[in-house]
Amino acid sequence: MNAMSGVPQTTPDVDLMLETQYRVYDSLIAIGFFVCFVIGLPGNCLALKYFLHTKKRTLSTLLYIIACSIDIGSSIIHLPVAVNLLNKRTPGLFSNTLFCSMWFFILLLLQQMSMFVVMLLSLSRTIVILFPFYKVNKRAVLISIPVFFLYHCAWNILWFLSAGETYYDFPVGFCQIYSNTIIDTLYEVNYSVCTGIPPTVVFCSIPGFDCQASETKHYRCVS
């Protein structure tokens, strides 16, 4: 005899199960964004204050100032996404087309500039370790930052103009641009190269491996 014969058989609500599952994932991602905001914003503000009050403005100090400023923006930029994920992915601020476009534009620039500045910092440290008597051209390094910034601004503007309006993408929970033109393909290639090279350079640089020169002028890694 079936022990469950007296229990009515019901079909599980798959949609409800999936919604509950995704709500859990969304909440975890949103909590992660809030943690980054709570820790990252004051931490980077304190670091920025310290470097701004440093009397000796070396290249590393200036790069740290720029990096901290970018990281402050990165700590704030994901707040609308966190609120959105906690509110069943309702558009909220993203329902405004102008805000959506500006948010996505700034997000792309923060991603690109953050990695570029870290790469410059890592490269400058590597050159100092490998060639202690070589003086890094401070002016050239600093000029490369606004040049890189304007370069990506031009690419982003070109991509935005060719694609049309930015829209809120419900599956990902933030704003996107849909485009199927040659400009879109070129932009994706440019974006992949410009965001792929910096982390590769940082990983391959000596500071990335935490290495230092020994007294015998051979290089060894230290723990």
Side-chain angles (χ1 to χ4, degrees):
M1 181 178 179
N2 188 355
M4 300 294 293
S5 59
V7 180
Q9 301 296 315
T10 58
T11 303
D13 191 339
V14 178
D15 292 336
L16 180 61
M17 292 173 62
L18 290 175
E19 181 181 355
T20 303
Q21 182 181 14
Y22 287 127
R23 288 292 302 277
V24 172
Y25 295 153
D26 286 353
S27 298
L28 291 175
I29 296 173
I31 291 172
F33 284 146
F34 280 120
V35 169
C36 291
F37 173 76
V38 172
I39 298 177
L41 183 61
N44 282 289
C45 287
L46 290 174
L48 179 61
K49 181 181 178 181
Y50 170 78
F51 289 118
L52 286 174
H53 286 82
T54 302
K55 293 182 179 180
K56 191 176 181 180
R57 293 296 177 90
T58 63
L59 176 60
S60 295
T61 301
L62 294 173
L63 290 177
Y64 277 124
I65 291 174
I66 298 171
C68 289
S69 302
I70 295 174
D71 289 342
I72 289 173
S74 299
S75 301
I76 299 173
I77 195 70
H78 293 99
L79 279 181
V81 182
V83 174
N84 179 33
L85 293 177
L86 291 176
N87 198 24
K88 298 182 178 180
R89 299 198 180 194
T90 53
L93 292 173
F94 291 138
S95 60
N96 185 295
T97 304
L98 178 60
F99 177 85
C100 202
S101 300
M102 291 179 61
W103 179 90
F104 193 46
F105 189 92
I106 296 173
L107 175 68
L108 293 173
L109 286 179
L110 286 174
Q111 292 173 345
Q112 294 155 344
M113 294 304 302
S114 176
M115 287 183 281
F116 182 71
V117 173
V118 172
M119 182 189 71
L120 292 179
L121 183 59
S122 182
L123 277 177
S124 62
R125 291 174 58 197
T126 301
I127 293 173
V128 169
I129 293 174
L130 292 176
F131 310 102
F133 301 104
Y134 179 80
K135 186 177 180 180
V136 179
N137 192 326
K138 179 179 176 181
R139 181 183 178 87
V141 174
L142 294 177
I143 289 177
S144 69
I145 297 175
V147 170
F148 191 79
F149 175 80
L150 293 175
Y151 172 78
H152 281 292
C153 280
W155 263 108
N156 291 345
I157 291 173
L158 179 62
W159 186 41
F160 273 55
L161 292 177
S162 66
E165 289 188 356
T166 310
Y167 71 97
Y168 172 71
D169 192 353
F170 181 84
V172 299
F174 53 83
C175 296
Q176 290 273 33
I177 285 182
Y178 175 77
S179 177
N180 192 22
T181 63
I182 185 64
I183 299 297
D184 179 64
T185 303
L186 294 175
Y187 180 86
E188 293 295 338
V189 172
N190 175 75
Y191 182 86
S192 299
V193 171
C194 292
T195 56
I197 291 178
T200 304
V201 172
V202 172
F203 179 78
C204 295
S205 65
I206 290 180
F209 287 106
D210 199 16
C211 295
Q212 67 178 15
S214 66
E215 294 180 357
T216 57
K217 296 186 178 180
H218 295 290
Y219 297 97
R220 59 184 177 85
C221 293
V222 296
S223 57

